[in-house]
Amino acid sequence: MKRREFITLLGGAAAFPMIARAQQPNSLDSELQRAVERKDAAGVVVMAANRKGVIYQGAFGVADIGAARPLKMDSLFRIASMTKAVTSTAAMQLIEQGRLKLDEVVWRYLPASGFEYLNVIESFDSATGDYRLRPASKFVTVQHLFTHTSGFGYPFTSAILRDYKPRPADKDRLGPLLFEPGTRWHYGTSVDWLGRIVEKVSGLSLEDYFHQRIFAPLGMTDTFYFVPKDKEARLVTVNHRRPDGSLVKDAVQPPTSGFTPVGGGGLTSTAADYIRFTRMFLNGGELDGARILSAQSVAAMGQNHIGAIGVPALKSALPDRSEDFSFIADGRDKWGLGFLITADAVAGKRTAGSLSWGGINNTYYWLDPARGITGVIMMQFLPFADKRALGVYDTFERGVYRMVEASR
């Protein structure tokens, strides 16, 4: 099943004659429909926009494999690590207010949390699990949390953390770091701790802070940690891909309440809500009269904050949860204050300097400030960075830029 809608912005910079194009075999909606029919995804919701508004949107496939419930534009997705950009935005607001400093050590904001005493893994024997630790020579700073250069990882991004079993005598309460803070980039739990700082400094829970300072001003009425009962019927079920390539619904679905929100993940949202968030960045921190960040803060978030360090393409340690991070330009991409920064322009796609990231259930977004284009694509299955899911993402992105070029 397919539901689609094309948007023409009257008088705007990107008015596309898409209703006529929609019937052609090579139109973007036809390409996305074929991707669903090939089972590249059970369903996909997409939305693209420029600074003035939405320029393309479509919903294809089903929200529930078992019930064959069709996807709609207002379907709710678990966006997982797309939460990280929201948390980073909240932290930048506190920096603007002078209540938080990038170069400050974390333990000053979270005293007695364990940040005052951290160890680094000096060696690890994968055969026996034996390891050696040494005290970290540097403290983790707020900037390290923003940029994933703290030394924290995830079990699915590190075989060491996957297999690490602490000894009873170990004193580090937060677990060991993979490296000295500020010396490497590694995707992990850093933004979870940035979220804790937001709560500590603001005196609000993440749920309340996000709603009051970001979601309500932007008109994001369908974004939350705890899904309201009257909206649960719009949730898309989480699936996983079997070794034979088929998709099956997970027997246990993520909870909609009763968990502790963290800065690194856990939000549920719609494509329409999240693209309002990304459009705010395209417009220098403001959308429809709501100022969320200063233009200076938005510019700073999109700049390289890891210096000569490169973002490596990581090998997955848990293939059922994530495939390799093959979508990264190995060692050349950079990281800003909350975003991956694209190093290489690719013909027919985003320009160099574009910002992006995604969520583990194959939800993704990108921001192309140079072209004034942003896109959000929502799927809902594991593993992350599934090659067929990335193929759908590529089809969507190329189709958007193709329409932009055709409108010139």
Side-chain angles (χ1 to χ4, degrees), residues 259-335:
F259 57 90
T260 300
V262 295
L267 284 176
T268 295
S269 190
T270 62
D273 263 21
Y274 206 84
I275 210 157
R276 289 190 63 78
F277 178 69
T278 60
R279 282 183 60 221
M280 175 269 292
F281 280 95
L282 279 188
N283 285 284
E286 183 269 342
L287 186 68
D288 296 339
R291 170 67 59 183
I292 304 301
L293 289 169
S294 70
Q296 293 81 5
S297 291
V298 169
M301 292 177 78
Q303 294 168 356
N304 172 21
H305 282 267
I306 60 174
I309 298 170
V311 175
L314 299 179
K315 186 171 181 58
S316 174
L318 293 171
D320 288 343
R321 190 152 182 79
S322 174
E323 292 197 16
D324 296 346
F325 282 41
S326 58
F327 56 90
I328 289 171
D330 191 6
R332 298 192 306 282
D333 283 348
K334 297 295 183 178
W335 200 270

Side-chain angles (χ1 to χ4, degrees), residues 220-292:
M220 296 171 63
T221 58
D222 280 329
T223 306
F224 21 66
Y225 281 104
F226 306 128
V227 181
K229 289 292 183 183
D230 62 349
K231 296 187 178 187
E232 285 186 358
R234 290 161 50 196
L235 272 169
V236 179
T237 58
V238 178
N239 310 304
H240 65 270
R241 195 180 297 284
R242 290 169 164 166
D244 65 2
S246 63
L247 290 166
V248 61
K249 180 179 175 179
D250 283 356
V252 178
Q253 294 290 306
T256 56
S257 62
F259 57 90
T260 300
V262 295
L267 284 176
T268 295
S269 190
T270 62
D273 263 21
Y274 206 84
I275 210 157
R276 289 190 63 78
F277 178 69
T278 60
R279 282 183 60 221
M280 175 269 292
F281 280 95
L282 279 188
N283 285 284
E286 183 269 342
L287 186 68
D288 296 339
R291 170 67 59 183
I292 304 301

Side-chain angles (χ1 to χ4, degrees), residues 157-180:
T157 65
S158 167
I160 291 175
L161 295 181
R162 178 197 64 196
D163 299 335
Y164 172 78
K165 293 180 176 56
R167 306 182 188 106
D170 289 346
K171 295 180 180 179
D172 50 327
R173 294 162 50 192
L174 306 183
L177 302 178
L178 293 170
F179 48 84
E180 286 285 351

Side-chain angles (χ1 to χ4, degrees), residues 315-366:
K315 186 171 181 58
S316 174
L318 293 171
D320 288 343
R321 190 152 182 79
S322 174
E323 292 197 16
D324 296 346
F325 282 41
S326 58
F327 56 90
I328 289 171
D330 191 6
R332 298 192 306 282
D333 283 348
K334 297 295 183 178
W335 200 270
L337 298 178
F339 302 105
L340 177 73
I341 303 174
T342 299
D344 303 328
V346 178
K349 298 181 70 173
R350 71 193 71 170
T351 57
S354 293
L355 313 177
S356 65
W357 201 240
I360 201 165
N361 296 309
N362 286 296
T363 61
Y364 302 92
Y365 68 90
W366 85 88

